[in-house]
């Protein structure tokens, strides 16, 4: 009987070893990947499709010659890097649901184009820039038809996207443009209804990789918190001081940058609307008048801040959020470092922070390596790529290539 039990245990042990053997072989294969395997892995991660034999051989030759980065750049030339990898990377930033299942739009196309053209990625939050298809005959400020048509036609985004200025295409005054922030897709998602706090919180989340809860600081001044924020929610001021003040104190003075923006749409047709700007440079501009949403519910706290322009202040330059690495050498933009007027200058403030650079690199790493950084070696790689990113003109294409090289295996 004991011999039978032993034989059963031995049989199970052999079965387990048999099941584990393929896994061990795969692990060993990854650990000892040669130039050809590395080339294929880089191409698969960047383009999402296997390379042709010709491309694979060219990449293998580059790797053998010590130019792994060149091999990764060759993989990036595949149209699927733009149509699939980059589109899936960007699309969740364009909607509150953070879903990848959304059609191509001006926000997504603009980021894809900027990566393709190796545009200084800091300009994503401030430039007078937009990417469109070559034919603008179906472009409209009040629908997404132009971009959906490109996608439905299976257009090769690597070839067809054209860099233009928002001011020439949409008619927005150049001084009011702020990269993807002033695209129609961003307005539809984050300027719609509400109080424009959504635009700020999602910008911080998408471009600094910080949720407001992560960076709340109740030690900051509260003098720019609007009147609609009750200082005693539910009649209890402790709720305000313990749960609300930390976010509002820093967010409110920065969100003032969007005071002239809204998303207007016909009743019942949210997708049929367009960005509405009433600030300097527009025919609707009246000094001292901002979007009504900034003045709603003023009776909640009458002594709160009444917005009258788009001047902003970054109180987070001091206190615990100084660790975000604000660039104190930025030129004076009206009031000194850490303050300015409008969405453009506020975008410059955000995009010149260390947190912005680290965020873009981390997101590219995760998209290519299919995982978050796991250990000190990964974190050291993120730090090194962030330094390269800043020293090489904030070139996102190179960040993707460096990530692919790192995750190709030894």
């Amino acid at each position: 009987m004991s011999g039978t039990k032993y034989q059963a245990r031995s049989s199970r042990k052999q079965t387990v070893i048999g099941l584990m053997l393929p896994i061990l072989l795969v692990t060993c294969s990854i650990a000892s990947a040669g130039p050809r395997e590395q080339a294929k892995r880089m191409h698969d991660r960047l383009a999402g499709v296997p390379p042709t034999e010709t491309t694979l051989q060219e990449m293998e030759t580059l790797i053998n010659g010590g130019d792994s980065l060149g091999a990764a750049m060759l993989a990036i030339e595949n149209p699927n890097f733009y149509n699939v990898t980059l589109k899936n990377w960007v699309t969740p930033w364009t909607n509150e649901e953070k879903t990848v299942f959304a059609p191509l739009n001006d926000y997504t196309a603009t980021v894809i184009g900027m990566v393709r053209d190796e545009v200084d990625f800091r300009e994503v939050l401030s430039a007078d820039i937009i990417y469109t298809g070559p034919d603008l005959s179906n472009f409209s400020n009040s629908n997404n038809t132009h971009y959906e048509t490109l996608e439905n036609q299976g257009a090769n985004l690597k070839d067809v996207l054209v860099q233009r200025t928002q001011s020439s295409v949409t008619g927005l005054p150049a001084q009011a443009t702020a990269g993807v922030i002033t695209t129609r897709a961003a307005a539809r998602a984050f300027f719609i209804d509400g109080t424009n706090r959504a635009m700020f919180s999602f910008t911080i989340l998408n471009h600094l990789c910080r949720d407001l809860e992560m960076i709340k600081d109740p030690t900051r001044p509260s003098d720019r918190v609007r009147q609609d924020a009750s200082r005693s929610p539910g009649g209890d001021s402790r709720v305000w001081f313990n749960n609300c003040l930390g976010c509002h104190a820093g967010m409110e003075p920065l969100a003032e940058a969007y005071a002239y923006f809204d998303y207007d749409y016909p009743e019942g047709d949210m997708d049929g609307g367009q960005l509405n700007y009433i600030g300097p440079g527009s025919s609707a501009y009246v000094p001292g008048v901002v979007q009504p949403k900034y003045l709603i519910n003023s009776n909640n706290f009458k002594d709160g801040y009444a917005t009258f322009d788009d001047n902003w202040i970054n109180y987070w330059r001091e206190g615990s959020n100084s660790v975000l690495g604000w660039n104190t050498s930025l030129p004076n933009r009206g009031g000194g470092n850490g303050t300015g007027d409008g969405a453009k200058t506020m975008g410059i403030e955000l995009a010149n922070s260390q947190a912005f650079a680290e965020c873009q690199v981390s997101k590219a790493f995760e998209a290519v390596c299919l995982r978050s950084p796991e250990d000190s070696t990964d974190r050291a790689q993120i730090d090194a790529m962030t330094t390269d990113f800043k020293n090489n003109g904030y070139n996102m294409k190179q960040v993707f290539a460096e990530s692919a090289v790192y995750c190709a295996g030894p």
Side-chain angles (χ1 to χ4, degrees):
M1 186 68 177
S2 60
T4 303
K5 289 182 179 179
Y6 174 80
Q7 290 173 357
R9 286 196 299 269
S10 177
S11 176
R12 287 196 297 270
K13 184 176 181 181
Q14 291 173 359
T15 300
V16 171
I17 292 175
L19 291 172
M20 289 179 63
L21 187 58
I23 298 174
L24 293 173
L25 290 175
V26 170
T27 302
C28 292
S29 175
I30 291 174
S32 60
R36 189 174 182 83
E37 290 77 16
Q38 291 174 345
K40 185 178 185 305
R41 188 170 299 123
M42 282 194 283
H43 197 283
D44 290 346
R45 296 288 180 84
L46 288 167
V49 294
T52 64
E53 181 60 30
T54 299
T55 298
L56 186 60
Q57 290 178 359
E58 291 177 355
M59 292 178 66
E60 183 180 4
T61 299
L62 287 169
I63 294 171
N64 279 324
D67 188 9
S68 295
L69 190 64
M73 286 293 190
L74 188 59
I76 283 176
E77 291 305 302
N78 188 289
N80 282 285
F81 173 71
Y82 301 92
N83 279 47
V84 180
T85 303
L86 279 185
K87 182 179 181 292
N88 290 344
W89 186 61
V90 181
T91 301
W93 314 348
T94 69
N95 57 83
E96 286 197 354
E97 296 78 19
K98 299 188 69 65
T99 178
V100 70
F101 302 109
L104 183 72
N105 55 55
D106 52 352
Y107 188 138
T108 309
T110 297
V111 174
I112 292 172
M114 291 179 70
V115 175
R116 181 198 68 183
D117 294 344
E118 301 181 24
V119 176
D120 185 326
F121 205 66
R122 289 174 296 181
E123 295 188 6
V124 75
L125 298 182
S126 63
D128 183 3
I129 189 171
I130 190 173
Y131 280 78
T132 71
D135 180 9
L136 291 177
S137 61
N138 66 344
F139 185 92
S140 171
N141 286 335
S142 58
N143 63 56
N144 193 46
T145 300
H146 176 77
Y147 295 95
E148 292 183 27
T149 299
L150 285 176
E151 186 167 38
N152 293 336
Q153 292 175 343
N156 180 350
L157 300 181
K158 175 190 171 188
D159 293 338
V160 306
L161 290 179
V162 178
Q163 182 185 138
R164 308 179 195 270
T165 60
Q166 288 185 34
S167 53
S168 65
V169 174
T170 69
L172 190 66
Q175 68 199 74
T177 59
V180 295
I181 302 303
T182 48
T183 57
R184 181 181 181 276
R188 165 66 181 84
F190 310 124
F191 279 144
I192 191 170
D193 301 330
T195 58
N196 287 358
R197 293 180 175 102
M199 177 63 83
F200 180 77
S201 63
F202 276 92
T203 298
I204 292 292
L205 180 63
N206 293 325
H207 297 286
L208 270 67
C209 293
R210 301 297 199 281
D211 185 277
L212 281 175
E213 282 293 315
M214 298 170 60
I215 54 178
K216 62 182 180 182
D217 179 5
T219 70
R220 298 302 85 210
S222 60
D223 60 313
R224 296 289 287 264
V225 180
R226 284 179 244 168
Q227 295 171 315
D228 65 328
S230 172
R231 275 39 168 202
S232 56
D236 189 347
S237 62
R238 292 173 299 179
V239 175
W240 165 256
F241 286 108
N242 294 326
N243 299 330
C244 307
L245 174 60
C247 291
H248 281 275
M251 170 180 62
E252 300 279 354
L254 285 165
E256 297 297 319
Y258 306 137
Y260 293 126
F261 291 97
D262 198 3
Y263 179 78
D264 289 347
Y265 58 92
E267 185 175 357
D269 182 16
M270 294 182 182
D271 292 326
Q274 63 181 16
L275 178 67
N276 175 17
Y277 171 75
I278 62 170
S282 76
S283 59
Y285 176 59
V286 176
V289 176
V290 298
Q291 292 289 355
K293 62 171 61 180
Y294 273 76
L295 303 171
I296 63 172
N297 299 321
S298 59
N299 287 330
N300 283 352
F301 189 74
K302 291 184 178 181
D303 291 331
Y305 186 73
T307 307
F308 59 92
D309 62 16
D310 61 356
N311 176 260
W312 57 268
I313 299 176
N314 184 4
Y315 286 147
W316 284 335
R317 279 190 167 223
E318 298 179 355
S320 60
N321 288 316
S322 61
V323 298
L324 297 177
W326 306 104
N327 187 339
T328 58
S329 65
L330 290 175
N332 186 304
R333 298 188 303 281
N337 278 332
T339 185
D341 298 306
K344 182 183 290 292
T345 60
M346 206 267 282
I348 293 172
E349 175 82 354
L350 297 179
N352 277 276
S353 68
Q354 178 70 13
F356 174 86
E358 291 174 351
C359 179
Q360 314 316 311
V361 171
S362 296
K363 290 186 299 184
F365 179 97
E366 292 178 11
V368 175
C369 297
L370 307 180
R371 61 179 176 81
S372 300
E374 296 175 344
D375 52 31
S376 59
T377 303
D378 286 349
R379 288 188 286 274
Q381 177 67 17
I382 295 290
D383 290 343
M385 290 196 301
T386 300
T387 299
D388 288 345
F389 182 47
K390 295 172 67 176
N391 291 340
N392 290 287
Y394 288 78
N395 182 346
M396 279 305 307
K397 185 185 290 186
Q398 181 167 322
V399 175
F400 275 92
E402 290 182 359
S403 298
V405 171
Y406 178 74
C407 289

